[in-house]
Amino acid sequence: MSTTLPVPAVTMLYAAVLGILLVALALNVVRFRLGRHVGLGVGADGTLEQPVRVHANFAENAPTFLVLLLLAELAGLDATWLHVAGVVFVVSRLLHAFGLSTNRGRSPGRFAGSLGTWTTILALSGFLLARSL
């Protein structure tokens, strides 16, 4: 007997978008490395620290979001709410990347991006916690 699993179409959409963004941020690091002839690390003057942290911060948060989104989709969260979470997360990551890329300290983009990232992760976590009990 064969069991067909549901296709998590919403999660697939945001995984694709976030995958493209991850590669774009990685290419930005490569561009900086080539321009400054730095093979590894952030260089003697630290000019690569910002693009490396933009990429790394994205890589630290996106996988957790995608796992939570997938589990929420499989648990039956309405597609509208899944898309709300997905759009907020993608916009938040873009704001964070822009804010951190343009300013080493505090910036509105970095703040809004962090807030949106954490809010979506906490909201999905709350839904899954409630659903599991």
Side-chain angles (χ1 to χ4, degrees), residues 19-29 55:
I20 292 166
L21 184 52
L22 178 73
V23 171
L25 295 173
L27 288 172
N28 189 50
V29 172
H55 177 260

Side-chain angles (χ1 to χ4, degrees), residues 34-95:
L34 291 173
R36 287 158 181 81
H37 306 289
V38 175
L40 184 65
V42 296
D45 62 358
T47 56
L48 275 166
E49 188 171 359
Q50 271 180 283
V52 165
R53 283 307 311 151
V54 170
H55 177 260
N57 189 278
F58 181 90
E60 292 161 1
N61 286 282
T64 300
F65 170 77
L66 287 172
V67 168
L68 294 170
L69 190 69
L70 175 62
L71 291 172
E73 186 168 3
L74 294 175
L77 184 61
D78 185 75
T80 300
W81 290 111
L82 294 168
H83 283 295
V84 167
V87 168
V88 170
F89 189 83
V90 169
V91 169
S92 296
R93 296 320 304 164
L94 289 169
L95 286 169

